[in-house]
Amino acid sequence: MATTTSAAVTEPPGLETQRKEIESLLQEHELRAGDTWYLVERRWYEQWKEYVETGDQNSSSFPGQIDNTELFEELDSYHLKERLVENEDFVLIPAEAWHKLLAWYGMVEVQPALERKVVDLPSLVKVEVYPVEIFLCLHSNMENVVTAQFSRADHIHTIQKVMMKQFDVVEGAETRLWMKSSDTSCERLRNVHVRVLDSCLSSGMVCLLPRLSEFRPSSRPSPHLPAPLAVSAPPLIPPLPTPTCSPGCQRNSVEEQDSYRGQPGVCGLTNLGNTCFMNSALQCLSNTPPLTEYFLRNAYLEELNFTNPLGMKGEIAEAYADVIKQMWSGRHYSVVPRIFKTKVGHFASQFLGYQQHDSQELLSFLLDGLHEDLNRVKNKEYIELRDAAGRPDQEVAEEAWRNHRRRNDSAIVDTFHGLFKSTLVCPECRKVSVTFDPFCYLSVPLPVSKDRVMEVFFVSLDPVAKPVQHRLVVPKAGKVFDLCSVLSEMTKIPANQMVVADVFNHRFYKLYHADESLSCILDRDDIFVYVKKQGSVEEEGDEVVLALYLRERSHYRDYGSGSSSYGTSLFGHPLLMTVPRGQCSRDALYHLFLQRLARYVRPPDPSEEEDEEEGEDDDDDDEEEELYKTQTNGVSYAQPYVAMDWDPDMKKKYYNENEAEKYVKHQSMEVPHQQTTVQLQECIELFTTVETLEEENPWYCPMCKKHQLATKKLDLWSLPEVLIIHLKRFSYTKYSREKLDIIVDFPLRLVTSCLRYDLIAVSNHYGGLRDGHYTSYARNKDNGQWYYFDDSKVTYAREEQIVTNAAYLLFYHRQDKIRQPTLPAPLDSSSPTQPANDVTSPKHDGMEGATPCVNMETD
């Protein structure tokens, strides 16, 4: 999938021709299964677009060789970074366009081309950015492992053929293919005609190829195997299960089946490849007592709804039941939820493949799917809704709940559904509309900080001073000038003397104007702030601001103009400097630049040059004179610029690369960022705050007979047996996208006006917007002990560990419904569980005893 490219660079056409050819190819090509596309680092591609738009072949915006360095995790194995985003990190171009760019510009030496296939998945055709990477080995020689990549559209027999060829297995020999996804879990791949996608093979798994004779004990030595093409060292692989094992061996080995006995429910879930989001949600639901007991006592079997058009023919419920029964059998320390994952992807294409997803989105789909699969209502009747028309809230609420249960009656509704009270007020006629709507979980907003922390490098006018890294607290919705103002307080340099730049690939990717929004700057951007002399304005008055680029000469490039010039590649950090107009001659700029680069450039010694040049001809003398060469050309973000071209040998002699990369940290970098803490009650109050509807979502007022931007208020009318609270940590606004890492101080015991709840589970998310990891805390219903679930790993947990800034989903169980633990807490627990509070609350089934506008407090 990733092949090293060494194609020779050919003479490119004119820039306008390049632009038209590539744009035409991008417009002509559509995604078709089997076609090949290529990944190109986005900023290189944007730089190329800027270059061809200048129309100047000698422009400093020349992008150089195709460079995908930013897409790789590390440059030894050239593994892609996880969760790269199209059009943010890379662009996709068809093969024909790729080969043209490669021929015109070449590619960084040794770097592989990122070739990817278009695959046809259920209801989706897409470029497979992340192929499945698996380890191949023979069962008789597990130390020799070959790493290989396969498309999800490949069939299993393709893997089998590759392995037989790789390990010199005689064609026609009887073989059996097994896949291994954890230390003890092996599963036979019986149907070799299914696709990799349908078999649930995922990256990081091991494919074992035993010969038939290897299934039986043998004292004969294993045959000699040739060295593999690519060797890596995955975790130690245990012996393969024998073919006489029971069907359960597809999940765990025979040895485990016979010997392992553990606490039911204390069971990990194998990560099938970026499925930690699913594992986290499953662990929380598994430790929700009423739902788990419903499945363990097989009550679901009598309620499976195979005819519901909104359901999944009972398949999701059955797959979920299978996972729960395994987890609560006490016979497994880890379960492989492969069939469940396949079913989820089959009915919800967004969960196909092995990209990271959101545990709340999976939970929402699963609760809805279980409800429809278990809905006791076989034929949903049409119900015409009545207006409240001034009737008492209690009467309207009871009517709404009855209507809801007439169409929706399942164990999910019994356990998780409650009622909102929604009040809309017309701003014109003051018409009040009151409705009661069911909910399955509460999605509560977090108080969003108005500030943002940014890190920048400050470059002063002192040529011997190193860049200084600063950590700034700026307004989240602020402007670039706000950033300069904060930095000005630290440096004592006036804000209007600063220029803020995004530096990428040794050039100015963008110079920001003072009135631009800070939302344009991403956290991963390398931001440098330069100082220009007071009163200087670009190309005005007696001074001009120049961008200085350093370039190393390479091969000649002929543009068909009858003249030749050196090809160049940028290096080092670019600089901005203010130059008097009278000093813009070549010699004057040469000396100014040497002064500006004094920290890491040693100027040539004339006597030293004379010794070195002794005996060389005049042509060599001329070349030395052209060691530093300027061209002034327009660049879209920095005008004008000057490029200093270096001969490779002279660069090695006079340019100190190590010194050029050095910087110092300002004391602001040493101050840890103070984390904000809010109470769960504050989040719920925000949820119930009056808000005005947005323009794209108006309300039709029956009195005014037109759409109005009404005010809306939500209140909690009745709460379910199990209350799920979703903390909306992922914030998307017109100003920014971010993950909110503030600590929400949620209670382990929650008190409402008439009900008391105990916390029973938490889904955690660690990381940022585009990457991260999900885990969960949960309290075992039988022994009352808290555990920490991290995929297949399970450890003891203490109550004081549970409240963190990673908490994402909270599960609360009503105290009057909780069955007290029947088993003592484990003796070897690091922290014995405190006795559960035995608090009795009023009976509150469905709408009975409902109290309007429920308030929440901490106990």
Side-chain angles (χ1 to χ4, degrees), residues 253-265:
S253 69
V254 177
E255 292 82 359
E256 182 191 354
Q257 293 283 329
D258 293 339
S259 62
Y260 183 77
R261 293 294 183 272
Q263 173 64 43

Side-chain angles (χ1 to χ4, degrees), residues 355-407:
Q355 298 299 306
Q356 183 63 278
H357 292 283
D358 188 311
S359 66
Q360 187 272 332
E361 292 176 0
L362 186 280
L363 178 70
S364 177
F365 160 78
L366 182 55
L367 289 177
D368 185 62
L370 289 175
H371 161 63
E372 297 296 355
D373 269 5
L374 300 168
N375 199 342
R376 302 169 185 122
V377 179
K378 307 303 180 186
N379 297 302
K380 294 189 177 183
E381 59 181 306
Y382 172 75
I383 299 174
E384 186 172 352
L385 299 180
R386 296 172 55 199
D387 189 77
R391 292 181 292 160
D393 283 350
Q394 184 72 17
E395 178 185 339
V396 179
E398 290 176 355
E399 178 182 84
W401 185 249
R402 285 195 304 270
N403 289 340
H404 177 60
R405 294 302 296 251
R406 285 163 64 185
R407 293 174 55 87

